[in-house]
Amino acid sequence: MTTPLVEMDGDEMTRILWQEIKDKLLTPFVDLKTEYYDLGLKHRDQTDDQVTIDSANAIKKYGVGVKCATITPNAQRVEEYGLKQMWKSPNGTIRAMLDGTVFRAPVLVNGITPSVSTWKKPITIARHAYGDIYKNTEMMVAGGSKAELVVTDTDGNESRRLIHDFDGDGIIMGMHNTDPSISAFARACFNFALSIKQDLWFSTKDTISKIYDHRFKDIFAEIFENEYKSEFEKAGIEYFYTLIDDAVARVVRSQGGFIWACKNYDGDVMSDMVATAFGSLAMMTSVLVSPDGKYEYEAAHGTVTRHYYRHLKGEPTSTNSVATIFAWTGALGKRAELDGLPELATFAARLEKATLETIENGIMTKDLVALSTLPEKQGVGSMEFLDAVAARLSNTVLK
Ligand code: NAP
Ligand code: MG
């Protein structure tokens, strides 16, 4: 390796897997070069979350990062870890700093059939990674209050809209997005569709949100018409916009093999639905792509807390490491592409192959046993699975 990968360590069970993946699948085979950032909750608290900002800046500097799942603190976590404050989601912070788009795609493996029987090809969800409720301001409102939206322009003129006259107590939320961010999102989606030659779908709720969501629709349409239409025609792919309700119905009846672009919240929710229907959240990969071509790879699932507590009690666990392995292979593969390192690219491809072949040969974690249609299969522990992949990988690499 010539340029270091930005390595962001995380929390709980995925932190345990992170170290094991490095020890068993990476360092024995690759002269691994990383710049390490510990995004574990304790260290985020110690650094007042500066480490998260530093890691995002490092991705901007080097271009490629790989991230372990991290805890997004809630009230219970504040107590559990004795936190100074309820730190923001690291993913949210990094996404906002890179203003990127998150593409999530399932890892398909023989023997695991999607629960939606028509799905034959992966569905990639493109999630807008900036704004909306992830950057909101919310308040409790006392009965008798009047809530208004107030915008002050550069000349100091105010525009006002009544939100609600509250008779009783209630709640209120303000959120925003920006034309540049929506435009970057649109371009990232169009570019990604061209690069993998798949149709692009985009959905919002513009019939209800006639200004906010409608703006997304218009920006996409304008950029498509002006910049991408002929390239899409040449590539034989199409872009189409539809209401989110209609999109959901069409997705379920489809064969897959397209990109579904979603607003931030829709993408968060729909990616979990799509991942689960494809088999397992543990088989879903995720990459954040910034408009200027910086990449951050991670698994789509969380820190698998329940398994971690079992692990702490010394009980056996069977946590699926596939998405985390694919985060590493994605990042190493991208580094290889950018730095012109064919051997590193080959290694990343071999590691993916060894991982899938292990499962296709019947050795898998327990979450997959329930899903696999293979006649002979064995549910193994977290570490046994990694050992099996390592054994297969050694053979592949030595050949
Ligand atoms: P989660 O960690 O994804 O786990 C939810 C459940 O899904 C698990 O209890 C497990 O089910 C199953 N599961 C998920 N990943 C699995 C894997 N690799 N192998 C086997 N089973 C897997 O979600 P959560 O419990 O809602 O969140 C836990 C923590 O993760 C939270 O603190 C949250 O803030 C954080 N989180 C982080 C990210 C991120 O960093 N990208 C994303 C989401 C959540 P069973 O227990 O039934 O086996
Ligand atoms: Mg989610």
Side-chain angles (χ1 to χ4, degrees):
M1 292 181 70
T2 47
T3 317
L5 263 185
V6 179
E7 175 187 355
M8 289 159 281
D9 208 343
D11 289 300
E12 299 193 312
M13 199 60 208
T14 41
R15 187 181 179 98
I16 308 282
L17 294 177
W18 193 260
Q19 191 60 49
E20 293 292 327
I21 289 169
K22 284 174 67 180
D23 292 348
K24 291 182 166 145
L25 303 179
L26 301 176
T27 45
F29 304 95
V30 177
D31 185 15
L32 192 67
K33 202 169 173 183
T34 73
E35 193 165 290
Y36 180 86
Y37 292 85
D38 182 2
L39 265 54
L41 186 51
K42 262 185 230 158
H43 193 240
R44 272 181 278 150
D45 194 53
Q46 281 162 12
T47 62
D48 294 334
D49 212 24
Q50 185 59 41
V51 65
T52 305
I53 293 161
D54 292 345
S55 70
N57 282 325
I59 297 174
K60 286 187 178 177
K61 178 176 168 192
Y62 294 115
V64 187
V66 57
K67 181 181 167 292
C68 179
T70 46
I71 292 169
T72 298
N74 53 18
Q76 182 262 320
R77 297 294 197 170
V78 172
E79 200 173 312
E80 180 183 354
Y81 283 80
L83 300 180
K84 295 179 202 162
Q85 68 178 73
M86 204 185 290
W87 303 109
K88 289 191 171 166
S89 151
N91 287 39
T93 302
I94 296 166
R95 281 172 199 154
M97 285 182 66
L98 295 179
D99 191 15
T101 296
V102 175
F103 294 91
R104 284 184 175 180
V107 176
L108 296 194
V109 60
N110 290 333
I112 295 172
T113 20
S115 13
V116 178
S117 55
T118 53
W119 289 358
K120 305 287 177 231
K121 293 175 239 167
I123 294 171
T124 300
I125 300 252
R127 173 182 174 186
H128 186 207
Y130 177 80
D132 302 347
I133 65 164
Y134 300 84
K135 275 268 175 199
N136 69 357
T137 306
E138 356 180 84
M139 288 168 80
M140 305 276 248
V141 178
S145 309
K146 174 165 101 170
E148 289 178 292
L149 269 182
V150 182
V151 176
T152 312
D153 70 18
T154 44
D155 297 328
N157 304 313
E158 288 184 352
S159 324
R160 286 171 181 267
R161 298 281 181 283
L162 176 70
I163 296 171
H164 192 62
D165 268 316
F166 285 85
D167 294 330
D169 294 352
I171 43 182
I172 187 173
M173 174 168 83
M175 61 183 197
H176 77 281
N177 225 299
T178 68
D179 287 5
S181 179
I182 299 166
S183 304
F185 173 46
R187 290 194 177 91
C189 292
F190 292 131
N191 287 335
F192 194 74
L194 284 170
S195 78
I196 66 169
K197 295 224 175 354
Q198 287 187 356
D199 289 348
L200 175 69
W201 302 13
F202 180 45
S203 58
T204 74
K205 192 69 179 174
D206 68 294
T207 47
I208 298 298
S209 174
K210 290 189 166 63
I211 293 178
Y212 197 106
D213 277 20
H214 204 88
R215 187 79 191 136
F216 280 81
K217 179 184 175 179
D218 285 348
I219 288 175
F220 266 70
E222 199 183 305
I223 291 177
F224 180 69
E225 282 299 319
N226 296 338
E227 300 172 31
Y228 291 95
K229 200 174 180 181
S230 63
E231 280 186 80
F232 267 55
E233 275 163 14
K234 261 184 253 156
I237 57 174
E238 67 175 59
Y239 164 65
F240 90 98
Y241 173 86
T242 186
L243 267 183
I244 180 105
D245 332 35
D246 180 50
V248 167
R250 284 174 187 255
V251 163
V252 170
R253 289 193 306 258
S254 78
Q255 294 204 333
F258 54 89
I259 302 159
W260 181 13
C262 292
K263 288 177 61 204
N264 208 348
Y265 175 83
D266 297 339
D268 185 352
V269 176
M270 292 306 166
S271 66
D272 282 359
M273 189 275 289
V274 168
T276 307
F278 266 107
S280 167
L281 187 55
M283 299 291 280
M284 195 77 165
T285 60
S286 177
V287 55
L288 176 78
V289 184
S290 78
D292 57 343
K294 313 291 184 204
Y295 294 78
E296 184 222 324
Y297 293 83
E298 63 168 336
H301 60 78
T303 60
V304 211
T305 310
R306 291 210 317 170
H307 296 209
Y308 179 61
Y309 289 154
R310 242 177 271 152
H311 170 83
L312 287 183
K313 282 193 267 174
E315 292 171 16
T317 59
S318 184
T319 314
N320 190 329
S321 46
V322 172
T324 307
I325 295 171
F326 274 67
W328 275 101
T329 55
L332 290 170
K334 180 54 75 177
R335 201 61 276 167
E337 183 193 317
L338 296 175
D339 294 347
L341 302 170
E343 283 174 78
L344 187 61
T346 304
F347 169 75
R350 281 178 173 167
L351 176 50
E352 290 187 356
K353 194 159 173 260
T355 305
L356 297 179
E357 281 179 0
T358 301
I359 300 169
E360 287 167 356
N361 277 274
I363 297 175
M364 59 194 82
T365 45
K366 288 177 182 156
D367 56 315
L368 297 186
V369 171
L371 303 168
S372 172
T373 54
L374 291 183
E376 281 179 44
K377 58 203 164 182
Q378 193 191 344
V380 299
S382 313
M383 300 315 152
E384 287 74 38
F385 178 75
L386 291 174
D387 289 335
V389 175
R392 191 168 282 274
L393 180 59
S394 302
N395 294 335
T396 315
V397 172
L398 290 179
K399 256 179 221 164

